[in-house]
Amino acid sequence: MGESIGIRERARGALRGELADVALRLFEERGYDETPVDDIASTAGISPRTFYRYFGTKEEVLFGDLPPTSGDLPALLQDHLTRLGPWESLHQTLRHVAENIRTERGRWSRLLRVVNTSDSLRAGHLEQQMNLAQSLIPTLAPAIQGQAAWRDLRARVLVYTALTCFDTAFSHWAEHEGDIEMLEALDIAFATVPNADSAQS
């Protein structure tokens, strides 16, 4: 029984990936706003109703995989906080995301180009980042030293700064086909910011 469920999940994941590839190609050719769900479904050989079984919205075709999105990041951050300071914990948490995406530079480069052509997509990406920040801030705040009244503020600053480091490093890596590696880009981005762990009081 468990094996059959696993097979179904793999098949579902494969079709979801195929739909995302079809959608991305159409977005590149026609533009995101000019490509309705009906066209994506028709090109993929399925009905619009089937499309919505795999993606709740057209935006989700892009943002469902656009990193960092992992639902386990708060737990991963909490684990790092048992051994590391807040800033380095955020670094290592986002490094985990970077490790999972570094083999698909071409796909991410294409995806970012599509996002950057649409105001609605840029706004959606910002909303995604804000939602992720809100999931990380409550985990980080208790680990912040100093007056309790300022812990939430400091946690917000650190989380948003860390996500900016990730987003900037990710874009730089995806747009360059040279010797730049995602992990290296992320490490350099974090190193550019003075170490907030040593600045806590």
Side-chain angles (χ1 to χ4, degrees), residues 95-167:
R95 222 172 182 275
H96 171 78
V97 178
E99 288 174 350
N100 293 332
I101 67 172
R102 58 182 175 170
T103 61
E104 297 185 88
R105 189 201 306 257
R107 177 171 178 262
W108 299 124
S109 180
R110 294 170 62 206
L111 190 151
L112 283 174
R113 282 197 295 269
V114 170
V115 169
N116 288 332
T117 63
S118 168
D119 290 340
S120 63
L121 286 177
R122 285 195 294 269
H125 182 45
L126 178 60
E127 181 179 2
Q128 179 194 47
Q129 294 288 69
M130 292 178 67
N131 290 338
L132 178 60
Q134 293 306 312
S135 74
L136 296 176
I137 289 167
T139 301
L140 189 70
I144 302 294
Q145 297 178 13
Q147 297 181 28
W150 301 118
R151 287 176 188 165
D152 184 67
L153 172 61
R154 289 185 171 185
R156 288 175 181 273
V157 170
L158 290 176
V159 167
Y160 279 109
T161 303
L163 291 178
T164 298
C165 285
F166 182 92
D167 199 43

Side-chain angles (χ1 to χ4, degrees), residues 26-195:
L26 292 177
F27 295 157
E28 288 178 310
E29 294 173 355
R30 307 177 185 179
Y32 172 81
D33 295 323
E34 292 73 29
T35 306
V37 166
D38 285 4
D39 287 2
I40 299 171
S42 175
T43 303
I46 62 172
S47 68
R49 182 176 180 179
T50 300
F51 173 91
Y52 285 116
R53 291 178 188 164
Y54 292 87
F55 298 100
T57 65
K58 188 171 73 166
E59 278 191 359
E60 191 180 328
V61 175
L62 296 175
F63 294 139
D65 294 324
L66 189 64
T69 59
S70 177
D72 64 355
L73 288 188
L76 185 59
L77 175 60
Q78 183 65 66
D79 181 59
H80 286 308
L81 285 168
T82 63
R83 302 181 300 277
L84 303 169
W87 182 244
E88 186 57 24
S89 292
L90 287 166
H91 181 191
Q92 293 305 318
T93 297
L94 293 173
R95 222 172 182 275
H96 171 78
V97 178
E99 288 174 350
N100 293 332
I101 67 172
R102 58 182 175 170
T103 61
E104 297 185 88
R105 189 201 306 257
R107 177 171 178 262
W108 299 124
S109 180
R110 294 170 62 206
L111 190 151
L112 283 174
R113 282 197 295 269
V114 170
V115 169
N116 288 332
T117 63
S118 168
D119 290 340
S120 63
L121 286 177
R122 285 195 294 269
H125 182 45
L126 178 60
E127 181 179 2
Q128 179 194 47
Q129 294 288 69
M130 292 178 67
N131 290 338
L132 178 60
Q134 293 306 312
S135 74
L136 296 176
I137 289 167
T139 301
L140 189 70
I144 302 294
Q145 297 178 13
Q147 297 181 28
W150 301 118
R151 287 176 188 165
D152 184 67
L153 172 61
R154 289 185 171 185
R156 288 175 181 273
V157 170
L158 290 176
V159 167
Y160 279 109
T161 303
L163 291 178
T164 298
C165 285
F166 182 92
D167 199 43
T168 305
F170 174 60
S171 296
H172 187 75
W173 166 76
E175 293 165 1
H176 289 77
E177 297 293 338
D179 296 328
I180 298 171
E181 295 297 334
M182 180 58 200
L183 291 174
E184 181 183 13
L186 184 64
D187 290 345
I188 290 173
F190 267 81
T192 304
V193 180
N195 192 332

